[in-house]
Amino acid sequence: MMNTEFRANLCTKQLKWKEGGRMDMSKLAKWKRRIPLMIAGLIVLALLGFAVTYVISSKNKAPEIERGGIVPVGRGDVVATFEAQATVQSGRQGNFPILDGTVVKAVHFRVGDFVQKGDVIATFDTASLDEMVRAKKQDYENVNKVYKDYLRSAADAPKQKAALQKQIAALEKTIAALQKQSEAEATTASNGTDAGGTPTPAENAQLKELKTALTELLGNTRLAERMVESVLADNGSVAKTVTAFQNLMGGFMMDPAAIQGMMGGMSALGNSELIGASLQLVQLKVQEAALGLQGGASLESVYKSVADAAESAYLAAQKTVDQLKTGWVAEANGVIREISVVAGEPYKAPEGGSAGISTSAVTGAIAALAAGNTDQLPQLLSGMFTVSNKGMVIEYHPFVASFPLSPGDLGKIRLDQPAQVRSISNKLFDATVSFISPVATEGGGDILSSVMGGASTGGNVEARAVIPAPDASIVIGLTVKLTIELDKKTNVVRIPVSAAKYDEETKGYFVFVYDGDGKRIQKQPITIGIQDQRASFYEITAGLTGGEQILKAPSSSLTDGTKIKIKA
C-alpha cells in the first residue's frame, strides 16, 4: 500500500517539475547569459586577492643585495683632474724656398717621414743660379741709383722753388696790369664761341671743371675763364681744349714754342701778351707744385720703400741660393708635410711664380708717382719682391694641443702646468700648458667676471699645451685626450662615486652603512672632498673613518633602517 502511494507521489512530482520546467525556460536563458560574467568577476577577485597577498608579503620580505654590492670603506689616493678633447696643431713650420729652374739632384725623404735635426733632405745643382743672383743685385743697384738721384734732386728743390716763387710773383704783377688794360679795351670772351657751335651739357661740365682747376692754380677766376674760352674759340673743340690744358698742367708742355703754339689765334680774341703771360704762369705753378712734392717726406718714403724692396728681393734670392747649395737641412725634429721637387728634374715654378724686377717699370712708376699718381704704389711695391715658391714644408716639433676652457674651469688651469696627452694609439705623452687666451670666444662673456663668480653668457677660452716629443700617433688636425692633474690627496678615506647619494631635504650627501649583526642599513651623512674622475672615487673628509661596510650602488627605494638579505 505504501509503495503504491510513494510511486504515485513521485510520478506526480516529476510531472509537475516537467510542467514547471517548460514554464520557466525564459528564466533559464537569463541565467545562462549571466554565467560568463559571474566567472569573470570571480577571476578578477582572485587576482586582486593574489596581488594584495603579494604586496603584503613583499613588504615583509627583506631586499636582496648581491654579495659584491657591499664594500668596505678603504683608504687610498684620490686625484682630481681636468680632462678635455684637444686638437693637435703645428707649433712651427719650416718653409724651404726654391727658384725656378733649379736642378734637383736627390731627395732622401718622403711626405710623412719624421726627420731629425741636421738631416739632409734634398740636394741641388746650383751652377746656373749665380747668374740669377747677379741679375737681382743689378736690379737693386739700378733702383737704388734712382733713389739716390732723387735725394740729390730733393736737396736742391727748396732753392729752385724759391726762385720759381720770385718769378711767379713778378709774373702775377704783370698779369694784373695786363688784365686791367684788357678790360679797359672791353674785349669779351664770347666772340669766338660760335666757331665750334654750342657745347653739349657734358662738354659744359668738362669746361666748368677745367676752369675750376685753373682758378685754383692761378688764383684768378676771370683770367681762368678767359684763357679757356680763348683756346676754345681758336680750335673749336672742347675735347682739344681740355686736353691742351691738361697737358700744360701735367707738365708735358715745357718749352716756350709749345706754349706759343697753344696761343694760336688768341691775339685776335684779346690781349695776346696777357694770354701768353697767363700760360707761363700756369706752367710755373705746375713746376712749383712738382718741386713741393719732390721735397716732401711722403714721396721720399715711397722712393725708399722701392729701394728697400729691391734690396730685400736681392738678399732673399742670395739666401735661397746659399741654402740650395748646402741642401735642405732640417733645423729641428719634425715631420715632412709637403715636397714639391722630384729627384733628377729641374724645378718648374707654378703659375705666378718667381719673377725678376723690371728696372724700367720701376723708374716709370716712380715718374708717375712724382706727378701725383699714387694709385700705382701697391703694384710698384708688390713687384719688388720675388714670389716665394715652397719647395718643401716641415712641421717642426714641438706640436701644440689646443683645447677649450669653460668659465668654470678657467681658474683651475695655469701656465706651465704639467699635462698628459693620450694619442689615437692610446700612448701617453707629456705636455705643458703654454698659452691661455685673455679673450673669450664669441658669446664667452667677461672672463674676469666669470673667475670672480659673476654672470657669464657661456663660451670658452682657448688654451694650448705643448707636446715636446710627439710621434706618428700624434697627427696634426686630429683630436687627442688631454688630462691635467689639479689636486692629489694621499692615503685618505675614499668611497666609490656610486655609493654616495644626495638628500634633497638636507642638501647633503649620505651613504648606507650595513650593520652585519642586525642585517639592516643605516643612513650616514658624509662630507665629500675632491673627486677622482678616472678612478671614480670620492674623498671623504667627514662621516666615515674607514672599515665601515657600505652599499656600493644603493637603489632609490631603500630607506634608513631597511633590513636586507645578502644573496648567497
Side-chain angles (χ1 to χ4, degrees), residues 135-145 307 310-311 314:
K136 292 285 184 184
K137 183 178 181 181
Q138 186 62 51
D139 286 339
Y140 161 62
E141 290 175 349
N142 291 340
V143 174
N144 194 50
K145 182 179 183 302
E311 183 181 22
Y314 157 60

Side-chain angles (χ1 to χ4, degrees), residues 422-477:
R422 188 176 295 276
S423 72
I424 56 175
S425 62
N426 212 34
K427 291 177 62 177
L428 284 177
F429 295 85
D430 290 332
T432 304
V433 178
S434 59
F435 171 80
I436 300 175
S437 174
V439 180
T441 56
E442 185 176 352
D446 180 16
I447 294 178
L448 182 60
S449 63
S450 300
V451 175
M452 300 304 293
S456 172
T457 59
N460 295 312
V461 172
E462 182 192 9
R464 300 177 200 145
V466 172
I467 311 170
D471 66 7
S473 65
I474 301 291
V475 180
I476 293 175

Side-chain angles (χ1 to χ4, degrees), residues 285-328:
K285 288 280 190 179
V286 171
Q287 292 179 35
E288 180 188 23
L291 287 172
L293 178 63
Q294 188 174 8
S298 58
L299 187 57
E300 180 183 347
S301 66
V302 171
Y303 274 85
K304 187 176 187 307
S305 297
V306 172
D308 289 346
E311 183 181 22
S312 297
Y314 157 60
L315 294 177
Q318 183 66 67
K319 180 180 178 181
T320 300
V321 171
D322 290 343
Q323 191 177 42
L324 292 172
K325 286 181 178 180
T326 58
W328 286 344

Side-chain angles (χ1 to χ4, degrees), residues 133-200:
V133 174
R134 282 192 292 271
K136 292 285 184 184
K137 183 178 181 181
Q138 186 62 51
D139 286 339
Y140 161 62
E141 290 175 349
N142 291 340
V143 174
N144 194 50
K145 182 179 183 302
V146 173
Y147 172 51
K148 298 297 183 183
D149 290 344
Y150 162 77
L151 291 179
R152 285 189 292 270
S153 178
D156 296 334
K159 293 179 181 180
Q160 297 177 25
K161 186 176 180 181
L164 275 177
Q165 287 172 342
K166 289 181 180 180
Q167 295 180 46
I168 290 171
L171 194 55
E172 285 176 340
K173 289 181 181 180
T174 301
I175 290 173
L178 292 172
Q179 191 172 7
K180 287 182 180 180
Q181 179 183 345
S182 178
E183 290 174 353
E185 295 173 356
T187 303
T188 62
S190 60
N191 292 339
T193 54
D194 294 333
T198 303
T200 65

Side-chain angles (χ1 to χ4, degrees), residues 282-505:
V282 170
Q283 197 157 44
L284 290 176
K285 288 280 190 179
V286 171
Q287 292 179 35
E288 180 188 23
L291 287 172
L293 178 63
Q294 188 174 8
S298 58
L299 187 57
E300 180 183 347
S301 66
V302 171
Y303 274 85
K304 187 176 187 307
S305 297
V306 172
D308 289 346
E311 183 181 22
S312 297
Y314 157 60
L315 294 177
Q318 183 66 67
K319 180 180 178 181
T320 300
V321 171
D322 290 343
Q323 191 177 42
L324 292 172
K325 286 181 178 180
T326 58
W328 286 344
V329 180
E331 299 175 8
N333 296 350
V335 60
I336 297 179
R337 179 176 183 142
E338 299 176 24
I339 292 183
S340 303
V341 297
V342 179
E345 297 182 8
Y347 175 78
K348 181 174 178 55
E351 195 73 22
S354 298
I357 300 173
S358 172
T359 305
S360 61
V362 171
T363 54
I366 289 177
L369 286 170
N373 186 7
T374 57
D375 294 339
Q376 296 188 26
L377 179 59
Q379 178 184 358
L380 172 67
L381 294 181
S382 64
M384 294 301 96
F385 294 97
T386 299
V387 177
S388 175
N389 299 309
K390 290 192 298 184
M392 181 180 65
V393 178
I394 296 180
E395 301 289 358
Y396 283 129
H397 299 167
F399 288 172
V400 175
S402 175
F403 58 97
L405 285 176
S406 67
D409 292 325
L410 188 58
K412 303 175 184 177
I413 307 302
R414 65 182 187 277
L415 292 176
D416 302 321
Q417 201 166 11
Q420 281 193 323
V421 168
R422 188 176 295 276
S423 72
I424 56 175
S425 62
N426 212 34
K427 291 177 62 177
L428 284 177
F429 295 85
D430 290 332
T432 304
V433 178
S434 59
F435 171 80
I436 300 175
S437 174
V439 180
T441 56
E442 185 176 352
D446 180 16
I447 294 178
L448 182 60
S449 63
S450 300
V451 175
M452 300 304 293
S456 172
T457 59
N460 295 312
V461 172
E462 182 192 9
R464 300 177 200 145
V466 172
I467 311 170
D471 66 7
S473 65
I474 301 291
V475 180
I476 293 175
L478 294 185
T479 57
V480 292
K481 184 178 180 181
L482 179 135
T483 303
I484 299 175
E485 183 177 305
L486 303 177
D487 195 4
K488 182 176 182 179
K489 300 293 182 66
T490 304
N491 194 30
V492 295
V493 177
R494 65 180 190 179
I495 64 170
V497 170
S498 60
K501 297 297 177 182
Y502 186 74
D503 192 328
E504 291 289 347
E505 293 183 2

